[in-house]
Amino acid sequence: MDMHESVAVPRSAPQPAGLRLKHIERVEGWGMAVGGLSHVFRPTDAEGVRAVFDLARREGRSVGLRGGGNSYGDAAMNTGGIVLDLTRMDRVLAWDPATGVIDVEPGVTIERLWKTIIGDGWWPAVVSGTMFTTMGGCAAMNIHGKNNYKVGTFGDHVVEFDFLAPDDGGVRTVTRENDPDLFHGAISGFGMLGCFTRLRLQTKRVYSGRLRVEAFDTHSVGEMIESFEERAPDADYLVGWIDCIKGGRGLGRGIVHRANYLAPGEDPDGDLTLAVAAQGLPDKILGLFPKSLMHLLLRPFCNNLGVRLINAAKFHAGVLHPRSVVYLQSHTAFAFLLDYVPNWKFAYKPGGLIQYQSFIPKEAAESAFEEQLRIAQGAGLPPYLGVFKKHRPDPFLLTHAVDGYSLAFDFRVTRRNRAQLWHLAEELDRVVLDHGGRFYFAKDATLRPDVARAFLPAENMRKFAALKRRCDPHNLLQTDLSRRLFGSDLAATMESAGAR
Amino acid sequence: MLRDNCALVVGASSGIGAAVAERLAREGFRVALVARREEELRKVADRINQRAGEDRALVFAHDVTCFDEVPALFERIVEALGGLSVVVYAAGVMPPVALDEYHFAKDRQMIEVNLLGMIAWLNEAADLFRRVQAGVIVGVGSVAGDRGRAGQPGYNTSKGAQAIFLESLRNRLAPANVRVITIKPGPVDTPMVRHLGRLPMMITADEAARQIVRAIGRSWGTVYVPRRWGLIMWVIIHIPSFIFRRLGMK
């Protein structure tokens, strides 16, 4: 469809009359380790969003914004308050295949986005590890992909957005030029300033539905960093897997995957591979076992011994399949590893999982991550997954990105280890702060207020507090995460922290 | 947002329902009592509240065959209780039916009270518990639902269908962490069965309630009350039809 060929169809949602029993739902973080009850509303347009803001004011409740619910922790939860679930605002409003510019509502998922554009030879510039995140969530959390070091974060590819803030100033169109503070605050602002009602994105031209992929063994964190530094200049994507259970001389061993786009004409089947059907993930393992049941097979391995076995097998698989082999892989298979086994998180039931991701400046990354691995292993709580990425700074106010590296740990949560795990997270936080690092609200479930206020730059907090007072003077927008880290008056907390 | 330890008992004016409500209240639950006969409900509520020394039981008069009233009443009850964690459907009728009697009105009444009323109430509970991913649903059925006997075709059908409905709910709601329990009591000394005279292995309503409340605390699936009925019914279920027919079980 053409950019100028508007497809906006008015969809008037029934106005919520009050807080009713039928609206009460349990809302969980994606990792299932945290959850609570809220009144949930699912508007279909900006008017519906405004109606929920009005209802919240009348009822004296706060509102938390939620997209696909893929934040691991409590970033999209608002226990006891109202949750505004935006997944029904899911229309693609306009698409221009000549320029790769697309207008979408906030509930459009990455899946919907890539399926809309790939046939015309475009791909989202930045994607998360799952295709079920929504555009509103991606912008609010300013997500990054495996190409963060090269193309920046999601926000770097937002051209403009329409924004509805609780201050009741109506829907406004925000660009880098007309309101730079709000542009850089709303993106990364974890839903604390207002609701995106439309986003215009610039996508990336591709000439094939496949990527050229190579894998390399590394034997330590330092070696992994060297490998990234060596390959970053001419790799389009880089991602590392770390065997977090292996200690001693094998501490930090892992595998780096590098991927590159194919140049025009390089893929003889280019047009065919750009078809949506060519991007589908297989629904069976080895053509036999339904992937939807794979989490049941994974469950017996979801313990220290099982993960040790799986990690060792994965690392040593290179003996059978030499790493030097270059192969072609679809964009979806490379990008959306988290979707490869549907509901794999169920293997972590009943307690769920948390992800702990920290971002450390380049020069300190090796020592910080090695120290974190030793601390976690020493506590008897080794992460079951470790994912390593390279980043670059960006201009967004509450950004997590640094000129350096991140390592994301998946920890299994059980009733027995929960307190110990939260205590471990505190120890890992100390390492991050000592090394000048940062955290990422989309992943967080454990940060303490003093740590959050310590890692964010004072100047950024002052600017964000001013925006909060401007857009949401009565603190209508809150989440469990915002209250945990900044109390119920975020602006005041950030102002005082920023005045240090 | 929703308090724990709040229970709703449908069919609480007498028999097993009243006994379960009293037991739950003794264990600290706030209980909503639902039944057609308001006067009887008030007596049960008075006993509960006197024993507790506080208003722990609330009374809601309602005819379970008025299916359209259920959604609004359910919402009103949850608001009045301040939450809901357990729902027990114990309403049931078993009018006397002679062996040579084919009486549609009686059969219809049993299907409406025992089955359709249960579906109307438990659908509301299921929808709420699915959304909040917690809760226990209890349907009080009967061993009479395990086989089709000559004496009570309508009653057997209502109880058999109850069991299937509850099993379906159980399978639907298990992923949402909701327990659905089918209670299958043997003969219990209640006003409903007085016309049948003294039945073998009959227990008191209070004893049945004790076992049901224990099941609410920990069980999944089908629970025979008392447990020996599980073995007995296993044997009866496996009797071939051509033999069962000749045994003359009513």
Side-chain angles (χ1 to χ4, degrees), chain A residues 45-329:
Chain A
D45 56 20
E47 270 313 299
V49 173
R50 193 202 307 266
V52 174
F53 285 169
D54 290 343
L55 172 69
R57 269 189 284 267
R58 283 200 307 273
E59 299 282 343
R61 304 288 180 113
S62 60
V63 177
L65 303 179
R66 184 176 176 92
N70 288 283
S71 288
Y72 280 71
D74 53 1
M77 289 167 44
N78 187 22
T79 303
I82 291 173
V83 165
L84 195 48
D85 178 330
L86 297 162
T87 51
R88 288 177 66 194
M89 290 176 69
D90 60 351
R91 291 175 299 177
V92 173
L93 301 170
W95 163 235
D96 184 351
T99 61
V101 173
I102 191 164
D103 282 16
V104 292
E105 287 188 325
V108 166
T109 59
I110 287 181
E111 179 186 30
R112 178 88 193 280
L113 175 62
W114 73 255
K115 283 184 174 174
T116 302
I117 65 178
I118 194 167
D120 294 320
W122 299 86
W123 182 254
V126 171
V127 298
S128 47
T130 168
M131 64 173 96
F132 303 121
T133 46
T134 58
M135 298 297 103
C138 289
M141 291 300 176
N142 195 25
I143 65 149
H144 63 264
K146 301 174 183 74
N147 53 358
N148 188 200
Y149 65 94
K150 189 136 190 165
V151 304
T153 52
F154 186 88
D156 284 312
H157 304 273
V158 175
V159 178
E160 65 177 37
F161 54 80
D162 288 348
F163 198 63
L164 180 61
D167 67 351
D168 211 18
V171 175
R172 66 199 90 174
T173 299
V174 181
T175 66
R176 280 181 180 77
E177 293 74 32
N178 73 11
D179 197 340
D181 283 352
L182 184 54
F183 187 89
H184 293 101
I187 295 173
S188 79
F190 65 110
M192 288 296 105
L193 300 180
C195 178
F196 300 104
T197 57
R198 177 189 64 93
L199 294 117
R200 175 169 290 177
L201 310 171
Q202 175 65 59
T203 61
K204 155 92 182 149
R205 171 63 92 182
V206 291
Y207 302 95
S208 165
R210 296 188 289 197
L211 297 164
R212 189 176 54 250
V213 182
E214 294 172 82
F216 311 90
D217 296 344
T218 54
H219 296 86
S220 66
V221 175
E223 209 177 294
M224 183 163 284
I225 291 172
E226 277 173 29
S227 177
F228 269 65
E229 289 297 312
E230 182 190 333
R231 293 179 172 91
D234 54 7
D236 290 319
Y237 295 95
L238 282 170
V239 63
W241 164 78
I242 285 187
D243 176 358
C244 298
I245 250 178
K246 180 72 176 167
R249 288 195 307 173
L251 185 82
R253 72 180 183 182
I255 301 169
V256 176
H257 281 89
R258 159 206 175 137
N260 280 80
Y261 297 112
L262 299 180
E266 195 177 352
D267 187 343
D269 301 321
D271 286 346
L272 293 176
T273 61
L274 287 169
V276 170
Q279 295 292 320
L281 298 174
D283 59 358
K284 292 195 171 93
I285 298 286
L286 303 173
L288 291 171
F289 195 79
K291 286 205 307 191
S292 57
L293 299 176
M294 266 297 286
H295 64 90
L296 297 174
L297 283 188
L298 290 174
R299 210 158 180 168
F301 293 95
C302 210
N303 51 60
N304 289 4
L305 178 62
V307 174
R308 184 179 291 278
L309 289 172
I310 288 177
N311 284 1
K314 180 172 172 156
F315 185 77
H316 292 295
V319 176
L320 297 172
H321 299 283
R323 298 273 187 236
S324 54
V325 173
V326 179
Y327 56 96
L328 297 179
Q329 192 172 33

Side-chain angles (χ1 to χ4, degrees), chain A residues 20-22 24-26 37 39 61 80, chain B residues 1-2 74-75 78 128 131-133 175:
Chain A
R20 302 271 309 274
L21 183 66
K22 67 179 182 182
I24 295 180
E25 292 181 27
R26 179 176 167 81
L37 298 186
H39 284 94
R61 304 288 180 113
Chain B
M1 187 165 275
L2 292 179
F74 182 82
E75 186 163 352
V78 178
L128 173 64
R131 284 185 279 113
V132 304
Q133 294 181 36

Side-chain angles (χ1 to χ4, degrees), chain B residues 135-159:
Chain B
V136 182
I137 289 173
V138 180
V140 179
S142 167
V143 293
D146 283 356
R147 290 294 303 246
R149 304 179 193 205
Q152 282 286 357
Y155 187 73
N156 294 164
T157 302
S158 70
K159 291 297 173 181

